Amino acid sequence: MLKSCMDQIGPVTYRIANVGYYKGQSVDILYTLFAKNKKLSGNVNLSSATQRLTLAKVGDDTNFMYTYITATASSYINNNIEYVKSNTKDPIKGISGTMNHGKLSYRKAVYMDPDVFQGGRVPNSARTATGSQAGTGYSDLYNINSYNHGSLFITANSPGGFEYKYNNFSELYTSSNGSMNVTFYMFEGLAFYNVQTTSASPILLASPDVIGITNDNSDRENKISWNVIQAFPSQPSDTYLDNYALHFKIPSDLNSDEVSLKIKNSAGTDVTSAFNLEKVGNGNYTATAKSLSTLVNKQYTFTFTGNITKDQLANESFLNNYLDPSSSNPYYIKMNGEAYATYGLKGSNYVTKNDDAATSSANSKMAISSYKVEPGLSGSMTGGPYHVDDRVSFSWTAQNGNPDAKWGALVFKIKIPNGLNIDLSSLKLKFGSETAYSVPKSNYDYDISSRLLTVRSYSNSYIGTGAEVLTYDTEIDSAARGGTISKSDASATGIDMNVFSKPNDPKPTASASISSTPFSVESDNFPSTPSFNKVFKNVTESSRGDNKNRINDILNFTLTAQNKGNVKHSKWGPIIFKDVIPKGLDLDKASLKLQLNNEDVQSPTDVKYDKNSDGSITLTVSTDTNLSEGDNLSLNYNTTIDPIAGDPSSGLSPLINKASASGKDINGFANGSYGANITKTDSKKISVEPDVLKTNFTNQIKKDSDPDDKFSNSITAKYGDIIDYKIIFGVKDGSRSFKGGSFAGKIPSSLSLIDDSVNVTNSSDGSSNNYKDIDSIPDIKEIDSGQSVTLSFKAKITQNAPSEIQYMPYILEDGGSTMMYANVSTIEPQDWLGFEETPSDIDFGTHTPYDLNDIGNVKTVGELNFMNYTNDPYYQVSVSYDPSGNSAIKNGDSRLQEADSEGLLFIKQMDTGRWIPVDDSGAMLNSAGFNKLGSNSLTEFVGPGKWLMNANGSNLKPGVYSGKMTWNAIDGIPNN
């Protein structure tokens, strides 16, 4: 609304209330107008002055309001526009008015409060034309625009229409309980009418009240809660809630995802569903009413409940932060909850409570429950009967009978009785459902003298409802045969984690103990029946099928130890394999595998390799395997036949391979004692085929223009042809490897090597190298059986005389003296007579139509080169010209005609000096012909001055005349 100070001189301040929002804050405008020597009353003329206010759309903070004032030079108007918080004089920063001075506006407008006006139309009687021009167009007001429920502009008529003063406002609005503030902004003056309207002030909400709750925790659910009470009083009829949100700050150590909220009204009814609930990552919990109208004249209780975990109650840092120092037996956890509310009230006045509004808080408490461990320890062992060297496995299981308690950092202590030898490498711990792990040496101790084993679990391992299991293996010592193994005494001690203790006080421990049952060791005689054999298979030969052992073949060996007896409780072991690998066999150490019966194949863990003076290697594989009746243990490995074994001069073939398996007859009694050592042996003789190099060496050729399938030992070609050579040196399957060597292949003088055409490609890895020369290549690589090297190059035939060209390269192996030759490749000569190059242009220069008689050529472009690659040195060359058809000399449709019957073109014959007409029958360059084999240059016969033209210049159009001549060659010398 507009407020003004009436009937006074000097500055007049108007308040335009609730014109909009700026960043969530309701805004008023304070407008001060200083009109010198003017009395501001019901209708005041200010000569040639007008003001226009324009509101931007809601949310447009940049163009919030535009203020426009115009005035004549004779008027003095001082304007001041200030934006303030509603119902205050507190300025809002960042909003400013804009003053412009210029021509007057055509428009006139009304500003009013639409909550009063309700969108009606101004009656005609309110608009009179006193003092104005008569006219029409003022019967109605139009263009009603509402902005943010707080203001209304009404503009009358169209821009450029008639201007009218409104002298009577009483009919605009009249009511018994209020009035309207109206200001007209007009072309010729400013008129205002003001009757102050009063309204009741809104009732602000009290800050939410946080009430702490004490939980005796009798249900041991470890809950902590706060009640937040908010009252919503009734508001005056013209005021209502614009928005409302309750914010609760959850203590940082409570998991916000597990905090619950229940909302009840004053009647105790659950109304949680009437609110939108939101949890945010910083620990805040926000409840926003879905319908604001349901809050009026109500009181709601918001109950926030969080959960404190057992781990937190056992955490010293947590207790330091939240343990109530004033509590004792029981102890209490104390946490602070904090709340505040944000809301708005809309109506005659507007108030906003922001997020930094006043907060309230309270402490809630929860009694700490104590959870004591109920420790238990149980054990088990491998069943009997028991014999010497039997492995006896023990298992000790620690458990906690109270699921709310935690028993951790356990220490197991076991007294190992005499007669049992513990395998410390077998110590394993298993925590709950996790995978068992080998106990590191740092986590156990074993006192040999006292035979006390101490095993420590990790300090961060705690038993709740699960268990921790210690397992290990022992072996019955031979000294216990026929005797009794006493009990194993075991105990487990650990920290009772969930028994409450104050920070810095040590946690108590809990222990449990148990003993195993003593057992007897059999006194028996169960002799074993050891056997051993060794077999091998040539893996490579199986694909070759020649039943031969050749160098580089792979041999697979299997050594098998077996207790063939059927005597129960007999045992042979632990098995130790020994195998003398002779010189000439190369052992693949990675291939060593052990297999017991048909169980999984495993790599041996105890392997030794001892070199012998004769070049052999003794392979020793020790196991801890004892073979019971019917059991067998096999050792499998691969070797490769070394090339030295195929060298007859080495004397190694046949290779002798001796092997053995040994072990004790553990339960067998012989010669007054148990456990006699028994060794079984076997050997194999391996004959190796002598090492012979078997090769394929081919030398083939083709014309470069021919496809690859045209390679052969012999071709026909002529001078100038480019020849492709492909030389393949390969080692046959089953042959020994080529050691590497050099290639020699100097090409004949009648060939010219093409640059960068020499390539050497290895089939084994596809690698290729380029060479500058083919005469000698000294670095041919080693070539294995079944592999090859390909040498390729290109050469051009350069000899003039046709004759046969032969080529035969060879290879010499490193360390050898015998050259290996490829087959001979042959190029048969091909007769060829023809032009290598002909002139491209005979130029007679530029002439007038009157100057075309007997003109000579000024230049000849290009060469005339001829090749005679035949057995006959004689040949003839002629040139011809056809004056008809497309070959004629012409310029478009204008053809060059001869001047007389002698002809148009002539060439000077070299040996006679005569001018010979060039016609379609041809003119010989030299009457005696030519008699030279090979390449001949005939350019001097056709150069400048060797040509003559005698043309008729009549009816010729200007331009360039051109035609074609044909060059011909024949073998022999025809008559001229």
Side-chain angles (χ1 to χ4, degrees), residues 63-84:
N63 303 307
F64 180 73
M65 176 169 283
Y66 179 77
T67 304
Y68 183 26
I69 292 181
T70 61
T72 63
S74 60
S75 299
Y76 178 75
I77 297 176
N78 178 18
N79 275 281
N80 183 19
I81 296 292
E82 185 175 16
Y83 301 93
V84 298

Side-chain angles (χ1 to χ4, degrees), residues 773-800:
D773 193 7
I774 192 64
D775 290 359
S776 176
I777 298 176
D779 54 353
I780 301 299
K781 295 181 179 180
E782 180 180 349
I783 305 172
D784 292 332
S785 173
Q787 302 295 326
S788 63
V789 62
T790 299
L791 298 94
S792 62
F793 64 91
K794 299 178 186 293
K796 186 177 182 180
I797 299 175
T798 57
Q799 69 177 5
N800 289 331

Side-chain angles (χ1 to χ4, degrees), residues 843-894:
D843 190 352
F844 287 91
T846 303
H847 301 275
T848 67
Y850 310 103
D851 185 23
L852 296 178
N853 296 115
D854 298 332
I855 58 175
N857 70 312
V858 296
K859 65 178 179 179
T860 297
V861 179
E863 304 287 329
L864 180 61
N865 293 324
F866 190 82
M867 168 54 68
N868 180 12
Y869 196 78
T870 67
N871 291 318
D872 185 355
Y874 296 99
Y875 64 93
Q876 183 60 277
V877 175
S878 65
V879 61
S880 62
Y881 165 70
D882 185 2
S884 62
N886 293 330
S887 299
I889 301 172
K890 57 184 178 179
N891 175 19
D893 57 357
S894 178

